[in-house]
Amino acid sequence: MGLNKFLFTGNLTRDAEIASTTGDRARALIRLAVNDVWTDEQGQRHERANFFNITVWGSDAENAAKYLGKGSLIFVEGRLASTEWEKDGEKRYGTDLVATQIQYVDTKKPGSDNA
Amino acid sequence: MGLNKFLFTGNLTRDAEIASTTGDRARALIRLAVNDVWTDEQGQRHERANFFNITVWGSDAENAAKYLGKGSLIFVEGRLASTEWEKDGEKRYGTDLVATQIQYVDTKKPGSDNA
Amino acid sequence: MGLNKFLFTGNLTRDAEIASTTGDRARALIRLAVNDVWTDEQGQRHERANFFNITVWGSDAENAAKYLGKGSLIFVEGRLASTEWEKDGEKRYGTDLVATQIQYVDTKKPGSDNA
Amino acid sequence: MGLNKFLFTGNLTRDAEIASTTGDRARALIRLAVNDVWTDEQGQRHERANFFNITVWGSDAENAAKYLGKGSLIFVEGRLASTEWEKDGEKRYGTDLVATQIQYVDTKKPGSDNA
DNA sequence: TTTT
DNA sequence: TTTT
C-alpha cells in the first residue's frame, strides 16, 4: 500500500541477457552505472559512479536482451524489495531492484534503432 | 549527473536514533516498513512488508531522533549508493539508502504534535 | 508510458461526497488544503495554503464519502490529467488531479476509527 | 508543511525559452507532453498525451533555455500551487506547476551533448 | 532487527 | 499551443 519507487538514468556496463525463464516468464539482469557529480563545501568537483543490478521480467526482459547492449543509456523506474538469506549459518539482508518500466534513451546495440 | 532517486511511504519499526556524530554532523538510522498489497492472476490477495535501513544526515537526523518513534508514518525521498566491502577475504556488494528529504505524515512519538 | 505522479498530504476543507455514479462506478470530489511553510531570504517565515480539487473513483470514492470529513488528514497519490474545454467560444486549458491511492492519517468523521 | 510534489517524465513540445527576468531572476516556461498508455477492461490499448506548462526559475531556467529544445526528454520534479484570478468579473481557479529539479535524460538541442 |  |  505504501509508495515504493526508484528512478534511475544510467548506462549498461554489459549487454543485457536473459538469466532464466520459468514457465513462459523470462528474467533478465541489467547492470547499470549511474553517474554522480557533486561539488563539496570547498568548491571541489567530485565524480563517482554507482553500480546497480536490476531485475527485469517478462516482455521487458526479452526486449532488453534484444535491444540493450553495453553502453546503452536508459531511464528505469521500479520497486525496491528487501531480501534475507542465510550463508554459513549467518543471516544476511539485502535490497533487490526490480524494474517496472524501461525507456530506451540511446540504444548502443548494433542493428537496433532507438524506437 | 544521472537521475538517482527513491521514494517511500512507510512506518518506522523502531524509534529513530542518532547513530554517530562526526564533527558537527549527526547521522541517524531509520528502519522503515513499506507495505505492499497486490492481487495475483488468480485474484488472490497478497500482503508483504519490505524493510529498509535508511541513513539520515545533519539536522534531518536530529529532527528524526526528536520526533520519529516506532510506528511513525513518513514519506522519504533519497538516493541509492552502491557499496562494496570485504569480509573473510570475500568481496560483497550492497546498496545504501540515503535520505535527502523526510516529511512527517503521522508522528507517533509521545509529546510531539504533527506540526 | 511517462512517469506522471503527484503526492500530497493535507486536510479536507469539507466533507467528501459522492458527486455522481455512472454504471456502478462512483466518483467523489475531495477538496484538499495543503499547507506550505517557508522562510525567505530575509529569514522571514511565511505560511500559505494551497487548495486542490481531487477526483476519486470507485471503491476509493465510496470509502472517502463514508470516512473522510472536513478536517481529515490524508496522504494522496495520483495522476495529473490535462483538460481543455470551450467557454464563450474561447478555448481554456486546465489540469485535473485524479487520486490513485489514499491513506487515512487522521479521520475526523464521527463514528469512523482510523483503521 | 504538507507534502506537495509532482513527478513527470516527458518530451518538450517546443524549445524552452526565457519568459521574463525580474531583478536577476530568470523565469522560463516549459511545455511538456507526458505520454500515457493503458489497456482497458476489454483489453483494448489506448494512448493519450497530457500537456503541461511548467514554470522554471533562476539558473534552472537559464540552463533550460540553453539546453532544452523541442523533443528533449526530461525528468521534472516540482510543486503544485493553486491560483485564483478574475476575468470578466468571474472568479477562476487553476493549478500552477513549478519545477524544483530537472534532469536531462535526452537533450535534442543541436550543439548540446547529454552532459 | 520488524511497522500500520 | 502539441512531443517520442
Side-chain angles (χ1 to χ4, degrees):
Chain A
M1 244 237 60
L3 173 68
N4 176 341
K5 195 178 277 289
F6 72 81
L7 307 160
F8 289 142
T9 52
N11 301 283
L12 298 230
T13 62
R14 53 177 79 153
D15 290 4
E17 269 173 35
I18 300 293
S20 68
T21 310
T22 31
D24 56 340
R25 196 155 174 70
R27 199 186 100 245
L29 255 156
I30 280 181
R31 178 94 184 145
L32 200 71
V34 179
N35 295 303
D36 199 7
V37 191
W38 74 99
T39 40
D40 62 26
E41 310 79 53
Q42 283 79 252
Q44 190 76 31
R45 200 171 182 269
H46 295 268
E47 284 196 40
R48 173 177 129 89
N50 287 283
F51 298 97
F52 302 108
N53 285 315
I54 300 166
T55 304
V56 190
W57 290 99
S59 61
D60 282 347
E62 288 158 24
N63 286 323
K66 227 180 286 179
Y67 300 118
L68 296 180
K70 186 177 178 170
S72 293
L73 176 64
I74 59 171
F75 165 81
V76 208
E77 201 182 314
R79 317 185 63 267
L80 290 136
S82 56
T83 48
E84 47 176 280
W85 70 97
E86 269 201 23
K87 209 184 169 186
D88 311 324
E90 184 202 0
K91 266 223 161 145
R92 296 194 191 169
Y93 303 89
T95 303
D96 279 0
L97 302 166
V98 184
T100 52
Q101 194 179 123
I102 303 181
Q103 291 197 39
Y104 300 175
V105 181
D106 190 14
T107 299
K108 283 281 171 52
K109 201 135 180 185
S112 60
D113 50 358
N114 262 27
Chain B
M1 227 248 68
L3 176 63
N4 176 341
K5 195 182 280 286
F6 72 81
L7 307 159
F8 289 142
T9 54
N11 302 282
L12 297 232
T13 61
R14 54 174 79 155
D15 291 2
E17 268 172 37
I18 300 293
S20 68
T21 310
T22 32
D24 56 340
R25 197 158 175 66
R27 199 186 100 244
L29 254 156
I30 279 181
R31 180 83 186 149
L32 201 71
V34 178
N35 294 303
D36 200 6
V37 191
W38 74 100
T39 39
D40 62 25
E41 309 79 55
Q42 282 79 251
Q44 189 76 32
R45 200 173 181 265
H46 295 270
E47 284 196 41
R48 174 177 130 88
N50 287 283
F51 299 97
F52 303 109
N53 285 314
I54 300 166
T55 304
V56 190
W57 290 98
S59 60
D60 282 346
E62 288 158 25
N63 286 323
K66 228 180 286 181
Y67 299 118
L68 296 181
K70 186 175 178 170
S72 293
L73 176 62
I74 60 170
F75 163 83
V76 207
E77 196 181 313
R79 318 185 63 267
L80 290 137
S82 56
T83 47
E84 47 175 277
W85 70 97
E86 269 201 23
K87 208 184 169 185
D88 312 322
E90 184 202 0
K91 266 221 160 145
R92 295 193 191 169
Y93 302 89
T95 303
D96 280 359
L97 301 167
V98 184
T100 52
Q101 191 184 131
I102 302 181
Q103 296 260 1
Y104 302 173
V105 181
D106 192 14
T107 299
K108 283 282 171 54
K109 200 133 182 186
S112 60
D113 49 357
N114 260 27
Chain C
M1 243 239 59
L3 172 69
N4 176 341
K5 192 177 279 288
F6 72 81
L7 306 160
F8 289 141
T9 53
N11 301 282
L12 298 232
T13 63
R14 54 177 78 153
D15 290 2
E17 268 172 36
I18 300 293
S20 70
T21 310
T22 31
D24 55 342
R25 196 157 174 68
R27 198 185 102 244
L29 254 156
I30 281 182
R31 177 95 182 142
L32 200 71
V34 178
N35 294 304
D36 200 6
V37 192
W38 74 99
T39 40
D40 61 25
E41 309 80 52
Q42 281 80 250
Q44 189 76 33
R45 198 169 183 270
H46 295 269
E47 285 196 39
R48 172 177 132 87
N50 287 283
F51 298 97
F52 303 108
N53 286 314
I54 300 167
T55 304
V56 190
W57 290 98
S59 60
D60 283 345
E62 289 158 23
N63 286 322
K66 227 179 287 180
Y67 300 118
L68 296 180
K70 185 176 177 171
S72 293
L73 176 63
I74 59 171
F75 165 82
V76 207
E77 202 182 312
R79 316 185 64 271
L80 291 137
S82 56
T83 47
E84 44 176 283
W85 69 97
E86 269 201 23
K87 207 184 170 184
D88 312 322
E90 183 201 2
K91 265 222 159 145
R92 295 194 193 170
Y93 303 89
T95 302
D96 280 0
L97 301 167
V98 184
T100 51
Q101 193 178 126
I102 303 183
Q103 290 195 40
Y104 300 175
V105 182
D106 190 13
T107 300
K108 283 280 172 51
K109 203 138 183 184
S112 60
D113 50 357
N114 261 27
Chain D
M1 229 249 65
L3 176 64
N4 177 340
K5 195 180 279 285
F6 72 81
L7 306 159
F8 289 142
T9 52
N11 302 283
L12 298 230
T13 61
R14 55 173 77 155
D15 290 2
E17 268 173 35
I18 300 294
S20 69
T21 311
T22 31
D24 57 339
R25 195 156 175 69
R27 200 185 100 246
L29 256 156
I30 278 181
R31 181 83 186 149
L32 200 71
V34 178
N35 293 303
D36 200 6
V37 192
W38 74 100
T39 40
D40 61 25
E41 310 79 54
Q42 282 79 252
Q44 190 75 32
R45 199 171 182 270
H46 295 269
E47 284 196 41
R48 173 177 131 88
N50 287 284
F51 299 97
F52 303 108
N53 285 315
I54 300 167
T55 305
V56 190
W57 290 99
S59 60
D60 282 347
E62 288 159 24
N63 285 324
K66 228 180 286 182
Y67 299 118
L68 297 180
K70 185 177 180 170
S72 293
L73 175 63
I74 60 170
F75 164 84
V76 208
E77 196 180 313
R79 315 184 65 268
L80 290 137
S82 56
T83 48
E84 46 175 280
W85 71 98
E86 270 200 23
K87 209 185 168 182
D88 312 322
E90 183 202 0
K91 265 225 161 142
R92 296 193 192 170
Y93 302 89
T95 302
D96 280 0
L97 301 167
V98 183
T100 52
Q101 191 184 130
I102 303 182
Q103 295 260 0
Y104 302 173
V105 182
D106 193 14
T107 300
K108 283 283 172 52
K109 202 136 182 183
S112 60
D113 49 0
N114 259 27

